[in-house]
Amino acid sequence: MSDASAARDACRPRDSGGSSPGSPPAGGPARSDGTGRRPGSAHPAARETAVPDGTAARRHGSAALEPAWWTADPERWDLLRFEAAHDASGLPVDRWWQDRRDVLDTLILTPGPVDHDFARFLLDQETRFHRHSWGFSHTIEVAALLLAEHRRPDDVWHLWRAVLAGFDTWYGLPHRLLLAAGGTTRTIAYVRGSGHEQQDNLLGHLEKLAVATDDDVTAFLAERRRHHTGILRGLDDVPERDDER
């Protein structure tokens, strides 16, 4: 692994909300059964495949890392769709996680919000990836952040599913992202009137978080974007390790 790659995934996010996320609620992330994925979490249509060489950028040229290339044709999103795989050591991975990582890194470095549907799609794929695999990658927070920046109330359910993907996402993702729709009061009001099947679980959790105003959330989202862009821009100065030295 390169020094740059190690630095990228060593940067776990911290919840700036001022409170611990506590324990997952009933119906939340299940403990791993030791097989490399959560019981019953793999998509029923997922195929177990070898991890391929190459990325979307190689397959479709450098344009594949430009946001406009993806939003011009939503059918291209299938190139980034989660697909269950195992690596040479038998560990569960996602066949296209590197492609999504490269695209997400490009998107967070691009000023302004990205296409809403594309952001939602990317977070849903990252959630499936983290349910299938071990550990935590910065990519799921980047995807969650890109969606949260739209500040839409109905996105809270996609963000909540991401938090619940596993123990690593429960403790790795900043829970203040759940308040993106306008802070504590507005988010709780929306969830309380939603009739969603996860309404009670999410309400109980939101009430335990530190109270945040809309201005607090705006500042938090901006701080998390600066955090990730600062790391990624800093990686440009990290030389690749020469394993032959």
Side-chain angles (χ1 to χ4, degrees):
M1 177 184 294
S2 70
D3 292 343
S5 297
R8 188 200 313 271
D9 287 326
C11 297
R12 295 176 63 93
R14 295 181 180 178
D15 192 340
S16 300
S19 63
S20 168
S23 299
R31 187 176 301 277
S32 171
D33 64 354
T35 64
R37 55 179 174 264
R38 297 175 62 244
S41 63
H43 190 277
R47 299 190 303 274
E48 298 298 340
T49 59
V51 180
D53 293 327
T55 65
R58 291 200 195 100
R59 286 178 284 154
H60 299 279
S62 59
L65 290 180
E66 296 299 323
W69 191 86
W70 295 100
T71 56
D73 183 1
E75 289 188 2
R76 295 171 177 168
W77 300 357
D78 280 343
L79 296 170
L80 304 176
R81 191 176 298 277
F82 166 82
E83 186 173 340
H86 284 86
D87 65 15
S89 300
L91 297 177
V93 295
D94 176 358
R95 181 177 173 87
W96 307 119
W97 74 269
Q98 291 176 309
D99 292 23
R100 266 198 326 276
R101 179 199 63 195
D102 292 344
V103 171
L104 285 164
D105 287 352
T106 299
L107 291 174
I108 199 66
L109 289 170
T110 304
V114 304
D115 178 82
H116 174 263
D117 290 342
F118 190 37
R120 181 179 279 187
F121 169 83
L122 289 169
L123 179 58
D124 288 347
Q125 305 318 303
E126 283 294 312
T127 299
R128 294 173 65 191
F129 170 37
H130 279 75
R131 285 178 64 88
H132 171 70
S133 305
W134 291 340
F136 182 91
S137 170
H138 77 288
T139 51
I140 193 169
E141 189 192 345
V142 170
L145 179 58
L146 292 172
L147 183 62
E149 287 180 333
H150 285 274
R151 316 297 296 275
R152 286 178 45 163
D154 56 330
D155 286 332
V156 72
W157 306 113
H158 295 263
L159 295 164
W160 182 231
R161 281 199 294 272
V163 168
L164 294 179
F167 279 96
D168 292 300
T169 53
W170 179 267
Y171 291 106
L173 280 171
H175 289 210
R176 184 161 283 198
L177 290 170
L178 296 168
L179 305 176
T184 301
T185 301
R186 292 179 187 175
T187 304
I188 286 179
Y190 168 77
V191 173
R192 184 172 286 129
S194 68
H196 194 277
E197 61 182 9
Q198 276 287 314
Q199 175 182 306
D200 292 342
N201 276 341
L202 181 52
L203 273 177
H205 183 62
L206 293 175
E207 291 167 352
K208 297 175 184 177
L209 298 180
V211 174
T213 65
D214 183 61
D215 287 343
D216 292 334
V217 175
T218 298
F220 172 74
L221 296 177
E223 185 279 324
R224 293 312 297 166
R225 178 177 271 270
R226 287 193 300 271
H227 169 82
H228 285 287
T229 57
I231 290 173
L232 291 169
R233 286 175 178 145
L235 290 178
D236 290 338
D237 300 324
V238 178
E240 295 291 327
R241 185 176 63 193
D242 185 352
D243 291 329
E244 295 181 359
R245 285 185 298 178

